Amino acid sequence: MSQSKVCVLGLGYIGLPTAAILATNGFQVVGVDTNEDVVDTLNNGEVHIDEPGLRTMVQAGFNSGNLQARSEPEEADVFVIAVPTPLQGEEPDVSYIESAAVSISKYLKEGNLVINESTSPPKTTEETVRPILEESGLSAGKDFYLSYCPERVLPGSIMKELTENDRIIGGVNDESAQKAREVYEEFVEGDIYLTDATTAEFVKVMENTYRDVNIALANEIAGVSEELGVDAWEAIELANRHPRVDFLRPGPGVGGHCIPIDPWFIIDQAREETPLLQMSRDINDFQSERVVEMVEGMVEAVKEPKITILGVAYKGNVEDTRETPALSVLEKLEGSGYEVSVVDPHVKDFPYDLVNHEQAFRGSDCAVLLTDHEEFTEIQPDEMGELMHAEKILDTRNLLDHESWESAGFEVRRFGVSG
Ligand code: SAJ
């Protein structure tokens, strides 16, 4: 299948790495994005996504002539849809997938293969993508092939996981699944499993829903631990010694463009069948409230407190702030009349000013660690303590060496450990 021409629609966190990997594994790739800035950035030799190893691979693709960026699709052997599927409220929005399918159908030819990689509500490929493509007069599974193949890469190690992870491919028929396998086996080192399109769509959202429910369980365990006077982190560590137990970790809430979103793709299809998924979403969203309640308890004697926020990215060591729980923490703190100052060494733009450690800690009544960035473990508590009005810190990720902060004179609070 290599030497084929592939058109990748959507040059975001998944589309661009996929285009780059295909271009350095024998395919001629045209990357397409409706955002002119993205196309211009790439054609100027720049890369708009901060992901280890991505820039090198994109530039190798461009330098070899096997990767180009365009704002319109063109005729190809294979089309890959890798566009966003955000939520509108609690409803999945598949309009980006629809417009990608419409733009493909103009160029669709006999023998083509179309692969939808975008996280999709189950049945989207069969009931939304397929009819749009068949408006070309070609029939899916016969004149052209149509499959669904989700990614399962962890932001921060996308380039590695895109090749190493197993892939699930779901075809509208067996031949479509087989045709898609011929593409992925050119670069996937993991195992490739074939099924139908709807099962593959369901598997993807199940995986992230599994994680959301288990994060909610960890958050609930943290609340109970505080009631019991038990250290939740120690209890989870010990429970996970059981060969078949794997508790996740409490935190200030669930961010990112997937985990807080994907459960709604299942809830939306079967609201009455999903009380656990809905309750898990509520539990995880309530965590930001818990942060504010704990901070209020730590600064209750202070008039107009200043709060230092450490980290606004949705998780450690990434720059992405999509759906970050930090935003609701900040809005709630400001709503309570607190002054806030924000530090995040990874994030470039954010609705709040991003300052350096000294500016953030100076005159602060309490620091709150929301994101487990590695850099925060290097903060010197005694230096920061001298700048602060009161030496207090709430570590919602159990990241810091709390003994060294305590010996520097700090009152340290942690999620899952009573005060
Ligand atoms: N979080 C916790 N406690 C934990 C783990 C995570 O509070 O124990 C929080 C994180 O801080 C973050 C959010 O949950 O705010 C999501 O983080 P994550 O690491 O679970 O997920 P993502 O969004 O970076 O990546 C997930 C992965 N899915 C699974 O692990 C099942 C990845 O494999 C998917 O490809 C990705 O979603 C996606 O794009 O779908």
Short mmCIF file of all heavy atoms in Angstrom, two decimals, residues 14 119 151-155 161 204 207-208 210-211 215 219 248-259 262 314-315 325 372 397, ligand 1:
data_model
loop_
_atom_site.label_atom_id
_atom_site.label_comp_id
_atom_site.label_asym_id
_atom_site.label_seq_id
_atom_site.Cartn_x
_atom_site.Cartn_y
_atom_site.Cartn_z
N ILE A 14 -3.66 14.96 16.25
CA ILE A 14 -3.61 13.59 15.70
C ILE A 14 -3.29 13.63 14.22
O ILE A 14 -2.42 12.90 13.73
CB ILE A 14 -4.95 12.85 15.96
CG1 ILE A 14 -5.20 12.75 17.48
CG2 ILE A 14 -4.93 11.46 15.31
CD1 ILE A 14 -4.07 12.14 18.28
N THR A 119 -12.56 10.80 16.97
CA THR A 119 -13.41 10.20 17.99
C THR A 119 -14.86 10.54 17.64
O THR A 119 -15.19 11.71 17.46
CB THR A 119 -13.05 10.77 19.37
OG1 THR A 119 -11.67 10.50 19.60
CG2 THR A 119 -13.89 10.14 20.47
N GLU A 151 -7.42 6.59 17.35
CA GLU A 151 -6.07 6.59 17.92
C GLU A 151 -6.24 6.43 19.44
O GLU A 151 -7.30 6.62 20.00
CB GLU A 151 -5.33 7.89 17.61
CG GLU A 151 -6.07 9.17 17.84
CD GLU A 151 -6.29 9.50 19.33
OE1 GLU A 151 -5.47 9.09 20.18
OE2 GLU A 151 -7.30 10.14 19.63
N ARG A 152 -5.19 6.05 20.12
CA ARG A 152 -5.23 5.94 21.59
C ARG A 152 -3.92 6.44 22.18
O ARG A 152 -3.43 5.93 23.16
CB ARG A 152 -5.55 4.51 22.03
CG ARG A 152 -4.83 3.45 21.23
CD ARG A 152 -5.05 2.07 21.70
NE ARG A 152 -6.41 1.57 21.81
CZ ARG A 152 -6.69 0.28 21.75
NH1 ARG A 152 -5.74 -0.58 21.50
NH2 ARG A 152 -7.92 -0.16 21.93
N VAL A 153 -3.36 7.47 21.53
CA VAL A 153 -2.04 7.96 21.95
C VAL A 153 -2.20 8.90 23.13
O VAL A 153 -3.21 9.57 23.29
CB VAL A 153 -1.32 8.69 20.80
CG1 VAL A 153 -1.04 7.72 19.67
CG2 VAL A 153 -2.10 9.88 20.30
N LEU A 154 -1.15 8.96 23.97
CA LEU A 154 -1.16 9.84 25.13
C LEU A 154 -0.47 11.15 24.76
O LEU A 154 0.72 11.12 24.37
CB LEU A 154 -0.40 9.17 26.29
CG LEU A 154 -0.73 9.70 27.67
CD1 LEU A 154 -2.19 9.51 28.00
CD2 LEU A 154 0.14 9.03 28.72
N PRO A 155 -1.19 12.27 24.77
CA PRO A 155 -0.51 13.54 24.49
C PRO A 155 0.75 13.67 25.35
O PRO A 155 0.73 13.38 26.54
CB PRO A 155 -1.58 14.57 24.88
CG PRO A 155 -2.88 13.88 24.61
CD PRO A 155 -2.63 12.44 24.97
N GLU A 161 3.69 6.46 20.58
CA GLU A 161 2.52 5.58 20.71
C GLU A 161 1.81 5.36 19.38
O GLU A 161 1.18 4.32 19.20
CB GLU A 161 1.56 6.15 21.77
CG GLU A 161 2.11 6.09 23.18
CD GLU A 161 1.02 6.06 24.24
OE1 GLU A 161 -0.16 6.25 23.88
OE2 GLU A 161 1.34 5.80 25.41
N LYS A 204 -13.50 3.03 21.21
CA LYS A 204 -12.72 4.25 21.49
C LYS A 204 -13.32 5.03 22.65
O LYS A 204 -12.63 5.39 23.62
CB LYS A 204 -12.67 5.14 20.23
CG LYS A 204 -12.10 6.53 20.47
CD LYS A 204 -10.66 6.50 20.92
CE LYS A 204 -10.17 7.89 21.31
NZ LYS A 204 -8.78 7.88 21.81
N GLU A 207 -12.97 3.35 26.08
CA GLU A 207 -11.63 3.42 26.70
C GLU A 207 -11.50 4.69 27.56
O GLU A 207 -11.07 4.64 28.70
CB GLU A 207 -10.55 3.43 25.61
CG GLU A 207 -10.43 2.14 24.85
CD GLU A 207 -9.65 2.27 23.54
OE1 GLU A 207 -9.22 3.39 23.19
OE2 GLU A 207 -9.49 1.24 22.86
N ASN A 208 -11.94 5.82 27.00
CA ASN A 208 -11.81 7.07 27.76
C ASN A 208 -12.84 7.16 28.87
O ASN A 208 -12.58 7.75 29.92
CB ASN A 208 -11.90 8.27 26.80
CG ASN A 208 -10.62 8.43 26.00
OD1 ASN A 208 -9.58 7.90 26.37
ND2 ASN A 208 -10.70 9.16 24.90
N TYR A 210 -13.92 4.58 30.58
CA TYR A 210 -13.32 3.75 31.64
C TYR A 210 -12.42 4.62 32.51
O TYR A 210 -12.45 4.57 33.75
CB TYR A 210 -12.51 2.62 30.99
CG TYR A 210 -11.47 2.00 31.89
CD1 TYR A 210 -11.81 0.99 32.79
CD2 TYR A 210 -10.16 2.47 31.88
CE1 TYR A 210 -10.85 0.45 33.63
CE2 TYR A 210 -9.20 1.94 32.73
CZ TYR A 210 -9.55 0.93 33.60
OH TYR A 210 -8.60 0.40 34.44
N ARG A 211 -11.63 5.47 31.87
CA ARG A 211 -10.68 6.30 32.63
C ARG A 211 -11.43 7.35 33.46
O ARG A 211 -11.11 7.56 34.63
CB ARG A 211 -9.74 6.98 31.65
CG ARG A 211 -8.44 7.44 32.27
CD ARG A 211 -7.32 7.40 31.23
NE ARG A 211 -6.16 8.12 31.68
CZ ARG A 211 -5.19 7.59 32.44
NH1 ARG A 211 -5.29 6.34 32.83
NH2 ARG A 211 -4.17 8.31 32.82
N ILE A 215 -11.23 7.69 37.45
CA ILE A 215 -10.73 8.91 38.10
C ILE A 215 -11.77 9.38 39.12
O ILE A 215 -11.43 9.78 40.24
CB ILE A 215 -10.43 10.00 37.06
CG1 ILE A 215 -9.26 9.57 36.16
CG2 ILE A 215 -10.14 11.33 37.74
CD1 ILE A 215 -9.08 10.42 34.91
N ASN A 219 -11.28 10.05 43.05
CA ASN A 219 -11.67 11.30 43.71
C ASN A 219 -12.61 11.04 44.88
O ASN A 219 -12.53 11.69 45.93
CB ASN A 219 -12.31 12.25 42.69
CG ASN A 219 -11.26 12.84 41.74
OD1 ASN A 219 -10.11 13.04 42.12
ND2 ASN A 219 -11.66 13.10 40.50
N LEU A 248 -6.73 4.79 39.95
CA LEU A 248 -6.08 5.96 39.39
C LEU A 248 -5.88 6.97 40.52
O LEU A 248 -5.98 6.61 41.69
CB LEU A 248 -6.92 6.49 38.23
CG LEU A 248 -6.98 5.51 37.04
CD1 LEU A 248 -7.89 6.02 35.95
CD2 LEU A 248 -5.59 5.22 36.49
N ARG A 249 -5.60 8.24 40.15
CA ARG A 249 -5.18 9.20 41.19
C ARG A 249 -6.22 10.33 41.34
O ARG A 249 -6.74 10.82 40.34
CB ARG A 249 -3.84 9.84 40.80
CG ARG A 249 -2.70 8.85 40.63
CD ARG A 249 -2.32 8.17 41.92
NE ARG A 249 -1.25 7.19 41.79
CZ ARG A 249 -1.44 5.88 41.55
NH1 ARG A 249 -2.66 5.42 41.31
NH2 ARG A 249 -0.43 5.03 41.52
N PRO A 250 -6.46 10.80 42.58
CA PRO A 250 -7.33 11.97 42.75
C PRO A 250 -6.69 13.20 42.08
O PRO A 250 -5.48 13.22 41.81
CB PRO A 250 -7.36 12.16 44.27
CG PRO A 250 -6.85 10.88 44.86
CD PRO A 250 -5.94 10.28 43.86
N GLY A 251 -7.52 14.19 41.81
CA GLY A 251 -6.99 15.42 41.22
C GLY A 251 -8.02 16.53 41.29
O GLY A 251 -9.13 16.34 41.81
N PRO A 252 -7.70 17.71 40.75
CA PRO A 252 -8.58 18.88 40.82
C PRO A 252 -9.70 18.85 39.78
O PRO A 252 -10.47 19.80 39.66
CB PRO A 252 -7.63 20.03 40.54
CG PRO A 252 -6.62 19.46 39.63
CD PRO A 252 -6.43 18.03 40.07
N GLY A 253 -9.77 17.75 39.02
CA GLY A 253 -10.79 17.65 37.97
C GLY A 253 -10.16 17.02 36.74
O GLY A 253 -8.96 16.77 36.69
N VAL A 254 -10.99 16.77 35.73
CA VAL A 254 -10.56 16.05 34.53
C VAL A 254 -10.61 16.98 33.33
O VAL A 254 -11.67 17.50 32.98
CB VAL A 254 -11.47 14.82 34.29
CG1 VAL A 254 -11.18 14.17 32.94
CG2 VAL A 254 -11.27 13.81 35.42
N GLY A 255 -9.44 17.22 32.74
CA GLY A 255 -9.38 18.12 31.58
C GLY A 255 -8.94 17.36 30.34
O GLY A 255 -8.94 16.13 30.31
N GLY A 256 -8.56 18.13 29.32
CA GLY A 256 -8.15 17.53 28.05
C GLY A 256 -9.34 17.48 27.11
O GLY A 256 -10.49 17.64 27.52
N HIS A 257 -9.03 17.20 25.83
CA HIS A 257 -10.08 17.28 24.82
C HIS A 257 -10.75 15.92 24.62
O HIS A 257 -11.46 15.71 23.67
CB HIS A 257 -9.50 17.78 23.50
CG HIS A 257 -8.38 16.96 22.99
ND1 HIS A 257 -7.17 16.84 23.65
CD2 HIS A 257 -8.28 16.17 21.91
CE1 HIS A 257 -6.39 16.03 22.97
NE2 HIS A 257 -7.03 15.60 21.93
N CYS A 258 -10.47 14.97 25.56
CA CYS A 258 -11.03 13.64 25.34
C CYS A 258 -11.79 13.10 26.54
O CYS A 258 -12.98 12.84 26.49
CB CYS A 258 -9.90 12.68 25.01
SG CYS A 258 -8.95 13.27 23.67
N ILE A 259 -11.05 12.93 27.68
CA ILE A 259 -11.66 12.22 28.81
C ILE A 259 -12.95 12.87 29.30
O ILE A 259 -13.94 12.18 29.54
CB ILE A 259 -10.65 12.05 29.96
CG1 ILE A 259 -9.38 11.35 29.47
CG2 ILE A 259 -11.28 11.28 31.10
CD1 ILE A 259 -9.47 9.88 29.26
N ASP A 262 -15.62 12.36 25.92
CA ASP A 262 -16.05 11.09 25.31
C ASP A 262 -17.19 10.38 26.05
O ASP A 262 -18.06 9.80 25.40
CB ASP A 262 -14.85 10.14 25.16
CG ASP A 262 -13.85 10.68 24.14
OD1 ASP A 262 -14.05 11.83 23.66
OD2 ASP A 262 -12.87 10.00 23.82
N TYR A 314 -3.95 21.04 31.35
CA TYR A 314 -4.92 20.07 31.86
C TYR A 314 -4.25 18.90 32.57
O TYR A 314 -4.86 18.20 33.37
CB TYR A 314 -5.87 19.61 30.75
CG TYR A 314 -5.35 18.53 29.83
CD1 TYR A 314 -5.51 17.19 30.13
CD2 TYR A 314 -4.72 18.86 28.64
CE1 TYR A 314 -5.04 16.20 29.28
CE2 TYR A 314 -4.25 17.89 27.78
CZ TYR A 314 -4.41 16.55 28.10
OH TYR A 314 -3.94 15.59 27.24
N LYS A 315 -2.92 18.71 32.27
CA LYS A 315 -2.17 17.67 32.98
C LYS A 315 -0.71 18.02 32.90
O LYS A 315 -0.31 18.96 32.19
CB LYS A 315 -2.45 16.29 32.40
CG LYS A 315 -1.84 16.04 31.05
CD LYS A 315 -2.05 14.58 30.66
CE LYS A 315 -1.29 14.22 29.41
NZ LYS A 315 -1.46 12.80 29.05
N PRO A 325 -9.42 21.98 34.32
CA PRO A 325 -10.17 22.34 35.53
C PRO A 325 -9.64 23.62 36.18
O PRO A 325 -10.35 24.28 36.95
CB PRO A 325 -9.95 21.14 36.46
CG PRO A 325 -8.82 20.37 35.91
CD PRO A 325 -8.74 20.67 34.47
N ASP A 372 0.58 18.79 37.53
CA ASP A 372 1.81 18.11 37.98
C ASP A 372 2.95 18.26 36.97
O ASP A 372 3.46 17.28 36.45
CB ASP A 372 1.52 16.62 38.25
CG ASP A 372 0.55 15.98 37.24
OD1 ASP A 372 -0.18 16.73 36.54
OD2 ASP A 372 0.52 14.75 37.14
N ARG A 397 -2.12 17.27 43.60
CA ARG A 397 -1.61 16.14 42.81
C ARG A 397 -0.63 15.26 43.59
O ARG A 397 -0.06 14.32 43.02
CB ARG A 397 -0.86 16.67 41.57
CG ARG A 397 -1.69 17.52 40.67
CD ARG A 397 -2.67 16.67 39.87
NE ARG A 397 -3.34 17.49 38.85
CZ ARG A 397 -4.06 17.01 37.86
NH1 ARG A 397 -4.23 15.72 37.75
NH2 ARG A 397 -4.63 17.81 36.99
N1 SAJ B 1 -6.27 12.52 35.61
C1 SAJ B 1 -6.53 12.43 36.98
N2 SAJ B 1 -6.16 11.29 37.63
C2 SAJ B 1 -5.54 10.25 36.98
C3 SAJ B 1 -5.30 10.36 35.58
C4 SAJ B 1 -5.68 11.52 34.92
O1 SAJ B 1 -7.07 13.34 37.60
O2 SAJ B 1 -5.19 9.26 37.64
C5 SAJ B 1 -6.69 13.74 34.89
C6 SAJ B 1 -5.52 14.44 34.21
O3 SAJ B 1 -4.90 15.34 35.10
C7 SAJ B 1 -6.20 15.15 33.06
C8 SAJ B 1 -7.33 14.22 32.69
O4 SAJ B 1 -7.55 13.37 33.82
O5 SAJ B 1 -6.76 16.38 33.50
C9 SAJ B 1 -7.04 13.36 31.46
O6 SAJ B 1 -5.70 12.93 31.53
P1 SAJ B 1 -5.29 11.49 30.91
O7 SAJ B 1 -3.84 11.32 31.04
O8 SAJ B 1 -6.15 10.46 31.49
O9 SAJ B 1 -5.79 11.56 29.42
P2 SAJ B 1 -5.40 12.26 28.04
O10 SAJ B 1 -6.60 13.04 27.67
O11 SAJ B 1 -4.10 12.97 28.04
O12 SAJ B 1 -5.26 10.95 27.10
C10 SAJ B 1 -6.35 10.03 27.09
C11 SAJ B 1 -5.76 8.64 26.97
N3 SAJ B 1 -6.82 7.67 27.14
C12 SAJ B 1 -6.67 6.70 28.08
O13 SAJ B 1 -5.70 6.66 28.81
C13 SAJ B 1 -7.77 5.69 28.16
C14 SAJ B 1 -5.16 8.46 25.61
O14 SAJ B 1 -4.73 7.12 25.44
C15 SAJ B 1 -6.20 8.79 24.57
O15 SAJ B 1 -5.71 8.58 23.25
C16 SAJ B 1 -6.56 10.25 24.74
O16 SAJ B 1 -7.20 10.37 26.03
C17 SAJ B 1 -7.47 10.65 23.62
O17 SAJ B 1 -6.98 11.47 22.79
O18 SAJ B 1 -8.55 10.09 23.50
#
